[in-house]
């Protein structure tokens, strides 16, 4: 059974940093693509950052240069380092996983991801 559990969310002031973690279990970790998504109230879920099974990464334009996605294969854990946070980054953040072939060419689209965590809230105040 695939399980994804996020942690690390919280409240920070603008300009601050947070590191989100996603502990995973129940699948062959290094053969999956993984991503972070976020959803603010009244808005659609959007892709923030993704990392493919080969280690290549993709970022939404809104977070490039501020967020870094990484994974620790030995720990089966996905991370999202978020720096220079802005109030518009406020949202519920979710990690997601998918068999790599299902998200080819669409790493930042939620449509291809079969497995999701429960989310962790990030609130950035001005």
């Amino acid at each position: 059974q695939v399980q994804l559990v996020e942690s690390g969310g919280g409240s920070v002031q603008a300009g601050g940093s947070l590191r989100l973690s996603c502990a995973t279990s129940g699948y062959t970790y290094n053969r999956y693509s993984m991503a972070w998504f976020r959803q603010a109230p009244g808005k659609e879920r959007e892709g923030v950052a993704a990392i493919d099974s080969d280690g290549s990464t993709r970022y939404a334009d809104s977070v490039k240069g501020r967020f870094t996605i990484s994974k620790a294969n030995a720990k089966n854990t996905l991370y999202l380092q978020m720096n220079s946070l802005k109030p518009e980054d406020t949202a519920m953040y979710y990690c997601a996983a998918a068999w790599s072939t299902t998200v080819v060419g669409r790493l930042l689209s939620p449509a291809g991801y079969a497995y999701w965590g429960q989310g962790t809230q990030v609130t950035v105040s001005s």
Side-chain angles (χ1 to χ4, degrees), residues 32-108:
Y32 275 64
S33 299
M34 300 194 71
W36 288 95
F37 293 83
R38 66 187 181 187
Q39 188 167 19
K43 294 188 177 181
E44 293 186 353
R45 189 167 296 189
E46 63 170 345
V48 174
I51 185 165
D52 210 343
S53 57
D54 64 0
S56 58
T57 58
R58 287 200 62 187
Y59 295 90
D61 288 343
S62 59
V63 306
K64 281 181 181 177
R66 300 188 299 121
F67 290 11
T68 303
I69 189 171
S70 62
K71 59 180 181 177
N73 289 337
K75 296 181 179 180
N76 287 358
T77 302
L78 179 73
Y79 301 101
L80 183 68
Q81 178 66 43
M82 305 186 294
N83 298 327
S84 302
L85 282 161
K86 304 175 181 180
E88 50 263 44
D89 295 318
T90 295
M92 185 71 79
Y93 282 71
Y94 301 90
C95 70
W99 187 252
S100 295
T101 55
T102 67
V103 290
V104 172
R106 52 175 185 168
L107 281 173
L108 292 179

Side-chain angles (χ1 to χ4, degrees), residues 13-38:
Q13 290 190 328
S17 297
L18 283 173
R19 188 177 81 155
L20 306 183
S21 299
C22 176
T24 73
S25 62
Y27 64 96
T28 307
Y29 183 73
N30 60 0
R31 297 179 69 179
Y32 275 64
S33 299
M34 300 194 71
W36 288 95
F37 293 83
R38 66 187 181 187

